[in-house]
Amino acid sequence: MNSNSISRLFGRFASHAFPPFFQRIVNRVYVRIFRIDLSEFAPIDSYPMLNALFTRALQKPRAIDSSATVLISPSDSMITAQGAIANDTALQIKGMSYSPNELLGIDKSAPNQASLERFSFINLYLSPSDYHRYHAPCDMEILEARYFGGELLPVNLPSLNKNQNLFVRNERVVLVAKMLESNDVDSGRADSGRQDSKSQNTKSADKLLYFVAVGALNVGQMIFHFEPRIKTNATPNAKQIYRYDAPIRIRKGEELGHFQMGSTIVLIAPLSKLTTELGQKVRFGEKIADI
């Protein structure tokens, strides 16, 4: 049985509401095994299924830096690799490189295609114990959403050290966004924004940000609130691109969606300074870079 099938089976288990007495046992065992701190969340017995516990919402708002020149962490996670992109090379972990253009689905031969040579990358690993919702790292306009079907290999440290091109091989969703200088952002999601249009290869490169949600073993779904057409862990090797005539505006810190289990987020953008260290644990809302 491959990792995709295992993930679908686990997703069914996690989405099943067992009788309350048994569900309480399942929840308590999970919290104990992964040492989950629920001090910011609803009580353990309030979750009717394991998936509700995975995707738990914050009950206490987080403070975030509202400065337009600061990039915040989109999730509770650990920095597993970061640095500058050079010669179409980024790291999934020290000693393991991959092509960021391939990760993002960029055709370098396309006319007017922006180069990533002045961009940096930050890899954020979400463990099974982490808060699984992800948020906008800055004020931004989403121009495209790209879905790539693929494998669902684990994205923990042993797997990152073992599997070449793991992020490229795994299922992923790539958001292509424009970073906004103003905080005056309309967070509404107008239906008129969900219309396909011709490719916008002439986008200003110095304002682009790529938000990549990478699937993993036991990730049943990757959910994006603004785009219900994205259906993950369904069709291997699928490729779908959604382009928006009216960009979808998202305020910094606004919830984008969630993983149904732990995984990884890769941020790729022209950043002036990285402010975190390898192995550092970060929380959603904390500063991770200067734009």
Side-chain angles (χ1 to χ4, degrees):
M1 185 178 294
N2 62 30
S3 59
N4 298 66
S5 297
I6 293 171
S7 296
R8 282 192 288 271
L9 287 174
F10 184 81
R12 294 191 190 111
F13 169 80
S15 298
H16 182 75
F18 293 99
F21 78 93
F22 185 69
Q23 190 65 56
R24 285 194 291 270
I25 294 173
V26 172
N27 291 353
R28 290 173 184 273
V29 168
Y30 182 79
V31 168
R32 186 178 302 116
I33 288 174
F34 293 106
R35 301 178 181 179
I36 298 174
D37 179 3
L38 289 176
S39 60
E40 294 181 290
F41 306 94
I44 189 172
D45 294 337
S46 65
Y47 301 103
M49 61 190 71
L50 195 56
N51 193 46
L53 177 58
F54 292 159
T55 60
R56 59 193 180 273
L58 285 167
Q59 299 295 300
K60 300 178 181 179
R62 295 272 182 90
I64 65 172
D65 189 327
S66 61
S67 171
T69 62
V70 166
L71 195 77
I72 63 169
S73 176
S75 61
D76 289 5
S77 47
M78 181 177 70
I79 306 294
T80 55
Q82 61 181 5
I85 293 174
N87 300 317
D88 189 25
T89 299
L91 298 177
Q92 68 183 38
I93 202 165
K94 185 177 180 180
M96 282 282 195
S97 62
Y98 68 94
S99 163
N101 281 293
E102 188 175 0
L103 176 77
L104 302 175
I106 291 176
D107 180 2
K108 293 189 294 182
S109 65
N112 301 318
Q113 179 59 59
S115 169
L116 298 178
E117 290 302 305
R118 296 182 298 102
F119 283 55
S120 298
F121 66 92
I122 305 174
N123 302 347
L124 302 114
Y125 167 66
L126 290 77
S127 75
S129 64
D130 284 321
Y131 167 61
H132 299 301
R133 302 195 179 203
Y134 35 79
H135 302 253
C138 60
D139 288 341
M140 63 188 198
E141 290 183 339
I142 298 174
L143 309 173
E144 294 183 10
R146 305 169 180 172
Y147 168 66
F148 300 92
E151 300 177 66
L152 288 172
L153 299 171
V155 292
N156 54 25
L157 294 178
S159 185
L160 290 173
N161 279 297
K162 175 183 177 182
N163 294 293
Q164 287 279 2
N165 291 321
L166 191 154
F167 294 159
V168 175
R169 291 165 59 183
N170 269 16
E171 179 180 53
R172 62 200 184 277
V173 176
V174 179
L175 305 185
V176 184
K178 176 184 176 183
M179 296 185 289
L180 300 178
E181 296 179 358
S182 171
N183 290 325
D184 185 19
V185 179
D186 177 8
S187 62
R189 299 187 298 273
D191 288 341
S192 61
R194 299 195 189 103
Q195 298 176 7
D196 289 353
S197 65
K198 293 182 178 180
S199 178
Q200 302 179 44
N201 287 327
T202 58
K203 294 183 286 286
S204 177
D206 62 353
K207 296 186 183 299
L208 282 184
L209 176 139
Y210 297 93
F211 180 111
V212 186
V214 182
L217 183 67
N218 291 336
V219 175
Q221 292 286 323
M222 292 182 283
I223 303 299
F224 287 87
H225 300 316
F226 70 89
E227 184 50 88
R229 292 177 293 179
I230 295 175
K231 306 294 183 184
T232 62
N233 198 7
T235 306
N237 303 315
K239 179 180 178 181
Q240 298 166 338
I241 298 180
Y242 305 102
R243 302 186 178 99
Y244 307 104
D245 286 331
I248 299 170
R249 295 186 173 186
I250 307 288
R251 186 181 295 279
K252 178 189 284 189
E254 184 177 345
E255 186 180 316
L256 288 168
H258 60 261
F259 291 114
Q260 294 184 356
M261 194 58 173
S263 194
T264 285
I265 294 169
V266 179
L267 298 178
I268 295 178
L271 304 173
S272 63
K273 181 183 179 182
L274 301 173
T275 59
T276 52
E277 302 291 337
L278 291 182
Q280 180 177 335
K281 289 286 292 184
V282 294
R283 284 160 50 89
F284 153 59
E286 292 181 345
K287 177 181 176 179
I288 58 174
D290 291 322
I291 298 174

Tab-separated table of all heavy atoms in Angstrom, residues 195-248:
chain	number	residue	atom	x	y	z
A	195	GLN	N	-12.097	33.550	-11.344
A	195	GLN	CA	-12.269	33.413	-12.788
A	195	GLN	C	-10.901	33.196	-13.421
A	195	GLN	O	-9.936	33.879	-13.101
A	195	GLN	CB	-12.901	34.673	-13.380
A	195	GLN	CG	-14.295	34.972	-12.834
A	195	GLN	CD	-14.839	36.266	-13.377
A	195	GLN	OE1	-14.240	36.880	-14.253
A	195	GLN	NE2	-15.971	36.686	-12.864
A	196	ASP	N	-10.806	32.184	-14.298
A	196	ASP	CA	-9.553	31.909	-14.977
A	196	ASP	C	-9.253	33.016	-15.982
A	196	ASP	O	-10.126	33.586	-16.604
A	196	ASP	CB	-9.631	30.568	-15.705
A	196	ASP	CG	-9.639	29.410	-14.717
A	196	ASP	OD1	-9.461	29.659	-13.518
A	196	ASP	OD2	-9.842	28.287	-15.171
A	197	SER	N	-7.962	33.333	-16.135
A	197	SER	CA	-7.545	34.342	-17.110
A	197	SER	C	-6.219	33.917	-17.712
A	197	SER	O	-5.639	32.907	-17.331
A	197	SER	CB	-7.406	35.708	-16.432
A	197	SER	OG	-6.360	35.682	-15.488
A	198	LYS	N	-5.698	34.707	-18.632
A	198	LYS	CA	-4.427	34.388	-19.257
A	198	LYS	C	-3.286	34.573	-18.270
A	198	LYS	O	-3.370	35.330	-17.322
A	198	LYS	CB	-4.202	35.285	-20.478
A	198	LYS	CG	-5.179	35.007	-21.610
A	198	LYS	CD	-4.886	35.882	-22.811
A	198	LYS	CE	-5.833	35.580	-23.949
A	198	LYS	NZ	-5.570	36.419	-25.139
A	199	SER	N	-2.183	33.857	-18.481
A	199	SER	CA	-1.036	33.920	-17.576
A	199	SER	C	-0.492	35.335	-17.486
A	199	SER	O	-0.464	36.072	-18.458
A	199	SER	CB	0.068	32.989	-18.084
A	199	SER	OG	1.200	33.073	-17.255
A	200	GLN	N	-0.055	35.684	-16.230
A	200	GLN	CA	0.475	37.022	-15.991
A	200	GLN	C	1.979	36.930	-15.736
A	200	GLN	O	2.453	37.063	-14.613
A	200	GLN	CB	-0.229	37.653	-14.793
A	200	GLN	CG	-1.732	37.738	-14.961
A	200	GLN	CD	-2.386	38.338	-13.732
A	200	GLN	OE1	-1.907	39.324	-13.183
A	200	GLN	NE2	-3.467	37.749	-13.302
A	201	ASN	N	2.762	36.640	-16.794
A	201	ASN	CA	4.201	36.453	-16.637
A	201	ASN	C	4.954	37.745	-16.400
A	201	ASN	O	6.149	37.728	-16.094
A	201	ASN	CB	4.781	35.749	-17.877
A	201	ASN	CG	4.385	34.291	-17.907
A	201	ASN	OD1	4.243	33.667	-16.864
A	201	ASN	ND2	4.183	33.764	-19.102
A	202	THR	N	4.292	38.889	-16.558
A	202	THR	CA	4.980	40.170	-16.416
A	202	THR	C	4.809	40.766	-15.023
A	202	THR	O	5.046	41.943	-14.826
A	202	THR	CB	4.452	41.165	-17.471
A	202	THR	OG1	3.037	41.315	-17.303
A	202	THR	CG2	4.740	40.666	-18.873
A	203	LYS	N	4.367	39.936	-14.051
A	203	LYS	CA	4.194	40.429	-12.681
A	203	LYS	C	5.524	40.957	-12.157
A	203	LYS	O	6.587	40.413	-12.435
A	203	LYS	CB	3.678	39.304	-11.778
A	203	LYS	CG	2.275	38.830	-12.131
A	203	LYS	CD	1.792	37.772	-11.165
A	203	LYS	CE	2.450	36.445	-11.376
A	203	LYS	NZ	1.976	35.753	-12.546
A	204	SER	N	5.464	42.022	-11.372
A	204	SER	CA	6.675	42.611	-10.814
A	204	SER	C	7.349	41.634	-9.865
A	204	SER	O	6.790	41.268	-8.834
A	204	SER	CB	6.323	43.908	-10.080
A	204	SER	OG	7.464	44.455	-9.473
A	205	ALA	N	8.562	41.195	-10.200
A	205	ALA	CA	9.237	40.151	-9.433
A	205	ALA	C	9.587	40.592	-8.025
A	205	ALA	O	9.623	39.780	-7.107
A	205	ALA	CB	10.509	39.711	-10.170
A	206	ASP	N	9.850	41.898	-7.841
A	206	ASP	CA	10.292	42.332	-6.518
A	206	ASP	C	9.165	42.368	-5.504
A	206	ASP	O	9.399	42.660	-4.324
A	206	ASP	CB	10.976	43.698	-6.597
A	206	ASP	CG	10.044	44.799	-7.102
A	206	ASP	OD1	8.914	44.477	-7.505
A	206	ASP	OD2	10.468	45.960	-7.091
A	207	LYS	N	7.941	42.041	-5.904
A	207	LYS	CA	6.821	42.017	-4.968
A	207	LYS	C	6.160	40.644	-4.884
A	207	LYS	O	5.152	40.479	-4.199
A	207	LYS	CB	5.782	43.065	-5.372
A	207	LYS	CG	6.290	44.503	-5.299
A	207	LYS	CD	5.169	45.485	-5.580
A	207	LYS	CE	5.673	46.922	-5.583
A	207	LYS	NZ	6.245	47.319	-4.292
A	208	LEU	N	6.702	39.652	-5.579
A	208	LEU	CA	6.086	38.331	-5.584
A	208	LEU	C	6.429	37.538	-4.330
A	208	LEU	O	7.547	37.627	-3.804
A	208	LEU	CB	6.537	37.530	-6.803
A	208	LEU	CG	5.883	37.852	-8.147
A	208	LEU	CD1	6.388	36.898	-9.210
A	208	LEU	CD2	4.365	37.767	-8.048
A	209	LEU	N	5.466	36.763	-3.867
A	209	LEU	CA	5.683	35.801	-2.794
A	209	LEU	C	5.017	34.499	-3.196
A	209	LEU	O	3.891	34.499	-3.700
A	209	LEU	CB	5.094	36.307	-1.475
A	209	LEU	CG	5.179	35.331	-0.293
A	209	LEU	CD1	5.546	36.053	1.002
A	209	LEU	CD2	3.855	34.573	-0.104
A	210	TYR	N	5.744	33.391	-2.997
A	210	TYR	CA	5.192	32.066	-3.252
A	210	TYR	C	4.984	31.374	-1.907
A	210	TYR	O	5.914	31.247	-1.106
A	210	TYR	CB	6.147	31.239	-4.113
A	210	TYR	CG	6.390	31.815	-5.494
A	210	TYR	CD1	7.473	32.663	-5.729
A	210	TYR	CD2	5.546	31.507	-6.560
A	210	TYR	CE1	7.711	33.199	-6.994
A	210	TYR	CE2	5.788	32.030	-7.832
A	210	TYR	CZ	6.867	32.872	-8.038
A	210	TYR	OH	7.097	33.393	-9.287
A	211	PHE	N	3.758	30.942	-1.682
A	211	PHE	CA	3.382	30.213	-0.468
A	211	PHE	C	3.108	28.779	-0.898
A	211	PHE	O	2.166	28.526	-1.652
A	211	PHE	CB	2.152	30.861	0.156
A	211	PHE	CG	1.648	30.212	1.432
A	211	PHE	CD1	1.766	30.876	2.645
A	211	PHE	CD2	1.017	28.968	1.416
A	211	PHE	CE1	1.274	30.306	3.821
A	211	PHE	CE2	0.537	28.388	2.582
A	211	PHE	CZ	0.671	29.061	3.788
A	212	VAL	N	3.933	27.831	-0.453
A	212	VAL	CA	3.805	26.440	-0.906
A	212	VAL	C	3.412	25.555	0.273
A	212	VAL	O	4.156	25.433	1.252
A	212	VAL	CB	5.120	25.924	-1.516
A	212	VAL	CG1	4.913	24.534	-2.121
A	212	VAL	CG2	5.654	26.896	-2.563
A	213	ALA	N	2.244	24.954	0.199
A	213	ALA	CA	1.802	23.968	1.188
A	213	ALA	C	2.124	22.589	0.635
A	213	ALA	O	1.628	22.205	-0.427
A	213	ALA	CB	0.305	24.108	1.450
A	214	VAL	N	2.995	21.859	1.342
A	214	VAL	CA	3.472	20.556	0.868
A	214	VAL	C	2.747	19.449	1.619
A	214	VAL	O	2.739	19.419	2.856
A	214	VAL	CB	4.997	20.417	1.083
A	214	VAL	CG1	5.488	19.075	0.532
A	214	VAL	CG2	5.739	21.574	0.419
A	215	GLY	N	2.138	18.526	0.883
A	215	GLY	CA	1.463	17.391	1.497
A	215	GLY	C	2.464	16.419	2.108
A	215	GLY	O	3.669	16.479	1.842
A	216	ALA	N	1.963	15.497	2.926
A	216	ALA	CA	2.835	14.537	3.596
A	216	ALA	C	2.027	13.317	3.987
A	216	ALA	O	0.800	13.297	3.878
A	216	ALA	CB	3.476	15.163	4.838
A	217	LEU	N	2.730	12.288	4.451
A	217	LEU	CA	2.071	11.082	4.924
A	217	LEU	C	1.038	11.436	5.988
A	217	LEU	O	1.320	12.202	6.917
A	217	LEU	CB	3.098	10.114	5.515
A	217	LEU	CG	2.548	8.762	6.004
A	217	LEU	CD1	2.040	7.935	4.829
A	217	LEU	CD2	3.613	8.007	6.791
A	218	ASN	N	-0.160	10.896	5.843
A	218	ASN	CA	-1.279	11.095	6.778
A	218	ASN	C	-1.877	12.492	6.719
A	218	ASN	O	-2.648	12.873	7.605
A	218	ASN	CB	-0.888	10.754	8.219
A	218	ASN	CG	-0.669	9.260	8.404
A	218	ASN	OD1	-1.200	8.459	7.645
A	218	ASN	ND2	0.113	8.893	9.399
A	219	VAL	N	-1.510	13.291	5.700
A	219	VAL	CA	-2.237	14.544	5.470
A	219	VAL	C	-3.442	14.202	4.600
A	219	VAL	O	-3.313	13.960	3.399
A	219	VAL	CB	-1.342	15.598	4.785
A	219	VAL	CG1	-2.164	16.835	4.438
A	219	VAL	CG2	-0.194	15.990	5.697
A	220	GLY	N	-4.613	14.134	5.218
A	220	GLY	CA	-5.800	13.752	4.468
A	220	GLY	C	-6.198	14.790	3.435
A	220	GLY	O	-6.575	14.465	2.324
A	221	GLN	N	-6.084	16.062	3.801
A	221	GLN	CA	-6.458	17.140	2.899
A	221	GLN	C	-5.618	18.379	3.214
A	221	GLN	O	-5.128	18.546	4.326
A	221	GLN	CB	-7.938	17.510	3.066
A	221	GLN	CG	-8.919	16.448	2.599
A	221	GLN	CD	-9.011	16.361	1.094
A	221	GLN	OE1	-8.946	17.377	0.399
A	221	GLN	NE2	-9.168	15.169	0.573
A	222	MET	N	-5.486	19.240	2.200
A	222	MET	CA	-4.990	20.602	2.402
A	222	MET	C	-6.131	21.521	1.974
A	222	MET	O	-6.565	21.474	0.826
A	222	MET	CB	-3.724	20.866	1.592
A	222	MET	CG	-2.511	20.075	2.066
A	222	MET	SD	-0.994	20.454	1.136
A	222	MET	CE	-1.299	19.534	-0.384
A	223	ILE	N	-6.619	22.308	2.898
A	223	ILE	CA	-7.801	23.126	2.668
A	223	ILE	C	-7.399	24.584	2.486
A	223	ILE	O	-6.594	25.120	3.264
A	223	ILE	CB	-8.777	23.017	3.859
A	223	ILE	CG1	-9.181	21.555	4.099
A	223	ILE	CG2	-10.003	23.902	3.638
A	223	ILE	CD1	-9.895	20.903	2.942
A	224	PHE	N	-7.957	25.238	1.455
A	224	PHE	CA	-7.792	26.674	1.248
A	224	PHE	C	-9.180	27.286	1.186
A	224	PHE	O	-9.975	26.963	0.300
A	224	PHE	CB	-7.004	26.953	-0.033
A	224	PHE	CG	-5.542	26.617	0.104
A	224	PHE	CD1	-5.089	25.331	-0.144
A	224	PHE	CD2	-4.629	27.569	0.531
A	224	PHE	CE1	-3.754	25.003	0.009
A	224	PHE	CE2	-3.290	27.256	0.690
A	224	PHE	CZ	-2.850	25.969	0.433
A	225	HIS	N	-9.478	28.172	2.111
A	225	HIS	CA	-10.828	28.710	2.234
A	225	HIS	C	-11.269	29.485	0.993
A	225	HIS	O	-12.451	29.460	0.627
A	225	HIS	CB	-10.921	29.623	3.454
A	225	HIS	CG	-10.601	28.949	4.754
A	225	HIS	ND1	-11.081	27.696	5.075
A	225	HIS	CD2	-9.839	29.345	5.811
A	225	HIS	CE1	-10.647	27.350	6.272
A	225	HIS	NE2	-9.892	28.329	6.737
A	226	PHE	N	-10.341	30.167	0.341
A	226	PHE	CA	-10.715	31.026	-0.790
A	226	PHE	C	-10.919	30.250	-2.077
A	226	PHE	O	-11.460	30.792	-3.047
A	226	PHE	CB	-9.644	32.110	-1.014
A	226	PHE	CG	-8.346	31.571	-1.552
A	226	PHE	CD1	-8.129	31.462	-2.919
A	226	PHE	CD2	-7.347	31.151	-0.694
A	226	PHE	CE1	-6.935	30.953	-3.420
A	226	PHE	CE2	-6.145	30.652	-1.181
A	226	PHE	CZ	-5.948	30.544	-2.540
A	227	GLU	N	-10.491	28.944	-2.126
A	227	GLU	CA	-10.562	28.190	-3.374
A	227	GLU	C	-11.052	26.761	-3.114
A	227	GLU	O	-10.256	25.833	-2.930
A	227	GLU	CB	-9.182	28.176	-4.054
A	227	GLU	CG	-9.151	27.487	-5.415
A	227	GLU	CD	-10.258	27.990	-6.326
A	227	GLU	OE1	-10.042	28.982	-7.034
A	227	GLU	OE2	-11.345	27.371	-6.326
A	228	PRO	N	-12.376	26.570	-3.072
A	228	PRO	CA	-12.925	25.236	-2.790
A	228	PRO	C	-12.720	24.229	-3.907
A	228	PRO	O	-12.950	23.031	-3.707
A	228	PRO	CB	-14.425	25.514	-2.574
A	228	PRO	CG	-14.695	26.766	-3.351
A	228	PRO	CD	-13.431	27.587	-3.222
A	229	ARG	N	-12.281	24.683	-5.076
A	229	ARG	CA	-12.065	23.741	-6.182
A	229	ARG	C	-10.835	22.882	-5.982
A	229	ARG	O	-10.687	21.835	-6.633
A	229	ARG	CB	-11.958	24.512	-7.502
A	229	ARG	CG	-13.253	25.171	-7.945
A	229	ARG	CD	-13.060	25.970	-9.228
A	229	ARG	NE	-12.193	27.126	-9.038
A	229	ARG	CZ	-11.853	27.975	-10.011
A	229	ARG	NH1	-12.310	27.777	-11.252
A	229	ARG	NH2	-11.072	29.006	-9.770
A	230	ILE	N	-9.931	23.279	-5.096
A	230	ILE	CA	-8.734	22.493	-4.845
A	230	ILE	C	-9.106	21.265	-4.023
A	230	ILE	O	-9.581	21.377	-2.897
A	230	ILE	CB	-7.657	23.324	-4.111
A	230	ILE	CG1	-7.178	24.471	-5.005
A	230	ILE	CG2	-6.489	22.440	-3.696
A	230	ILE	CD1	-6.195	25.404	-4.316
A	231	LYS	N	-8.923	20.086	-4.591
A	231	LYS	CA	-9.203	18.816	-3.922
A	231	LYS	C	-7.911	18.008	-3.878
A	231	LYS	O	-7.463	17.455	-4.882
A	231	LYS	CB	-10.284	18.026	-4.668
A	231	LYS	CG	-11.582	18.797	-4.903
A	231	LYS	CD	-12.303	19.109	-3.605
A	231	LYS	CE	-13.632	19.809	-3.869
A	231	LYS	NZ	-14.311	20.218	-2.618
A	232	THR	N	-7.294	17.936	-2.711
A	232	THR	CA	-6.002	17.266	-2.587
A	232	THR	C	-6.175	15.791	-2.231
A	232	THR	O	-7.234	15.360	-1.800
A	232	THR	CB	-5.133	17.957	-1.525
A	232	THR	OG1	-5.781	17.867	-0.255
A	232	THR	CG2	-4.921	19.421	-1.867
A	233	ASN	N	-5.083	15.035	-2.424
A	233	ASN	CA	-5.047	13.598	-2.150
A	233	ASN	C	-6.186	12.882	-2.855
A	233	ASN	O	-6.887	12.055	-2.274
A	233	ASN	CB	-5.088	13.313	-0.647
A	233	ASN	CG	-4.627	11.899	-0.319
A	233	ASN	OD1	-4.159	11.174	-1.179
A	233	ASN	ND2	-4.766	11.517	0.940
A	234	ALA	N	-6.395	13.233	-4.132
A	234	ALA	CA	-7.492	12.647	-4.896
A	234	ALA	C	-7.005	12.018	-6.200
A	234	ALA	O	-7.267	10.843	-6.467
A	234	ALA	CB	-8.544	13.709	-5.195
A	235	THR	N	-6.267	12.783	-7.006
A	235	THR	CA	-5.830	12.296	-8.312
A	235	THR	C	-4.310	12.428	-8.442
A	235	THR	O	-3.792	13.545	-8.545
A	235	THR	CB	-6.493	13.102	-9.452
A	235	THR	OG1	-7.905	13.088	-9.267
A	235	THR	CG2	-6.135	12.505	-10.803
A	236	PRO	N	-3.561	11.307	-8.396
A	236	PRO	CA	-2.109	11.373	-8.529
A	236	PRO	C	-1.698	12.026	-9.851
A	236	PRO	O	-2.346	11.843	-10.877
A	236	PRO	CB	-1.679	9.906	-8.485
A	236	PRO	CG	-2.799	9.195	-7.802
A	236	PRO	CD	-4.051	9.931	-8.203
A	237	ASN	N	-0.629	12.822	-9.792
A	237	ASN	CA	-0.045	13.473	-10.968
A	237	ASN	C	-0.967	14.491	-11.633
A	237	ASN	O	-0.725	14.900	-12.766
A	237	ASN	CB	0.395	12.422	-12.008
A	237	ASN	CG	1.382	11.433	-11.430
A	237	ASN	OD1	2.320	11.812	-10.734
A	237	ASN	ND2	1.169	10.152	-11.702
A	238	ALA	N	-2.013	14.902	-10.937
A	238	ALA	CA	-2.890	15.947	-11.485
A	238	ALA	C	-2.181	17.293	-11.455
A	238	ALA	O	-1.278	17.523	-10.652
A	238	ALA	CB	-4.180	16.016	-10.680
A	239	LYS	N	-2.586	18.191	-12.333
A	239	LYS	CA	-2.071	19.560	-12.342
A	239	LYS	C	-3.229	20.486	-12.675
A	239	LYS	O	-3.873	20.344	-13.712
A	239	LYS	CB	-0.954	19.726	-13.370
A	239	LYS	CG	-0.395	21.148	-13.435
A	239	LYS	CD	0.712	21.260	-14.460
A	239	LYS	CE	1.243	22.688	-14.556
A	239	LYS	NZ	2.326	22.832	-15.566
A	240	GLN	N	-3.497	21.410	-11.770
A	240	GLN	CA	-4.575	22.368	-11.975
A	240	GLN	C	-4.067	23.758	-11.613
A	240	GLN	O	-3.396	23.925	-10.596
A	240	GLN	CB	-5.780	22.003	-11.097
A	240	GLN	CG	-6.374	20.645	-11.424
A	240	GLN	CD	-7.325	20.160	-10.344
A	240	GLN	OE1	-7.268	20.588	-9.216
A	240	GLN	NE2	-8.209	19.245	-10.713
A	241	ILE	N	-4.392	24.730	-12.448
A	241	ILE	CA	-3.981	26.110	-12.198
A	241	ILE	C	-5.215	26.998	-12.233
A	241	ILE	O	-5.996	26.969	-13.192
A	241	ILE	CB	-2.945	26.588	-13.232
A	241	ILE	CG1	-1.679	25.727	-13.151
A	241	ILE	CG2	-2.598	28.070	-13.006
A	241	ILE	CD1	-0.597	26.109	-14.138
A	242	TYR	N	-5.393	27.779	-11.175
A	242	TYR	CA	-6.506	28.718	-11.084
A	242	TYR	C	-5.931	30.127	-11.059
A	242	TYR	O	-5.123	30.455	-10.193
A	242	TYR	CB	-7.331	28.457	-9.816
A	242	TYR	CG	-7.817	27.029	-9.712
A	242	TYR	CD1	-7.171	26.118	-8.875
A	242	TYR	CD2	-8.906	26.589	-10.470
A	242	TYR	CE1	-7.606	24.805	-8.786
A	242	TYR	CE2	-9.340	25.268	-10.384
A	242	TYR	CZ	-8.682	24.382	-9.539
A	242	TYR	OH	-9.114	23.073	-9.456
A	243	ARG	N	-6.340	30.945	-12.032
A	243	ARG	CA	-5.863	32.328	-12.128
A	243	ARG	C	-7.040	33.259	-11.888
A	243	ARG	O	-8.178	32.931	-12.219
A	243	ARG	CB	-5.224	32.584	-13.496
A	243	ARG	CG	-4.048	31.645	-13.795
A	243	ARG	CD	-3.346	32.010	-15.097
A	243	ARG	NE	-2.208	31.134	-15.341
A	243	ARG	CZ	-2.213	30.079	-16.155
A	243	ARG	NH1	-3.318	29.788	-16.843
A	243	ARG	NH2	-1.143	29.339	-16.309
A	244	TYR	N	-6.747	34.433	-11.335
A	244	TYR	CA	-7.812	35.320	-10.889
A	244	TYR	C	-7.712	36.674	-11.573
A	244	TYR	O	-6.702	37.368	-11.445
A	244	TYR	CB	-7.757	35.466	-9.366
A	244	TYR	CG	-7.747	34.121	-8.668
A	244	TYR	CD1	-6.576	33.606	-8.128
A	244	TYR	CD2	-8.904	33.352	-8.608
A	244	TYR	CE1	-6.563	32.361	-7.520
A	244	TYR	CE2	-8.907	32.108	-8.009
A	244	TYR	CZ	-7.730	31.610	-7.467
A	244	TYR	OH	-7.731	30.366	-6.878
A	245	ASP	N	-8.763	37.030	-12.306
A	245	ASP	CA	-8.839	38.352	-12.934
A	245	ASP	C	-8.795	39.436	-11.860
A	245	ASP	O	-8.106	40.438	-11.993
A	245	ASP	CB	-10.118	38.487	-13.756
A	245	ASP	CG	-10.060	37.706	-15.053
A	245	ASP	OD1	-8.954	37.536	-15.581
A	245	ASP	OD2	-11.121	37.268	-15.526
A	246	ALA	N	-9.562	39.227	-10.797
A	246	ALA	CA	-9.555	40.137	-9.661
A	246	ALA	C	-8.798	39.453	-8.538
A	246	ALA	O	-9.312	38.498	-7.948
A	246	ALA	CB	-10.983	40.461	-9.219
A	247	PRO	N	-7.568	39.881	-8.241
A	247	PRO	CA	-6.774	39.210	-7.212
A	247	PRO	C	-7.519	39.131	-5.880
A	247	PRO	O	-8.282	40.032	-5.514
A	247	PRO	CB	-5.526	40.089	-7.099
A	247	PRO	CG	-5.424	40.779	-8.425
A	247	PRO	CD	-6.850	41.008	-8.843
A	248	ILE	N	-7.314	38.029	-5.170
A	248	ILE	CA	-7.971	37.806	-3.885
A	248	ILE	C	-7.109	38.431	-2.798
A	248	ILE	O	-5.975	38.015	-2.563
A	248	ILE	CB	-8.166	36.303	-3.633
A	248	ILE	CG1	-9.061	35.711	-4.723
A	248	ILE	CG2	-8.752	36.060	-2.247
A	248	ILE	CD1	-9.123	34.211	-4.720
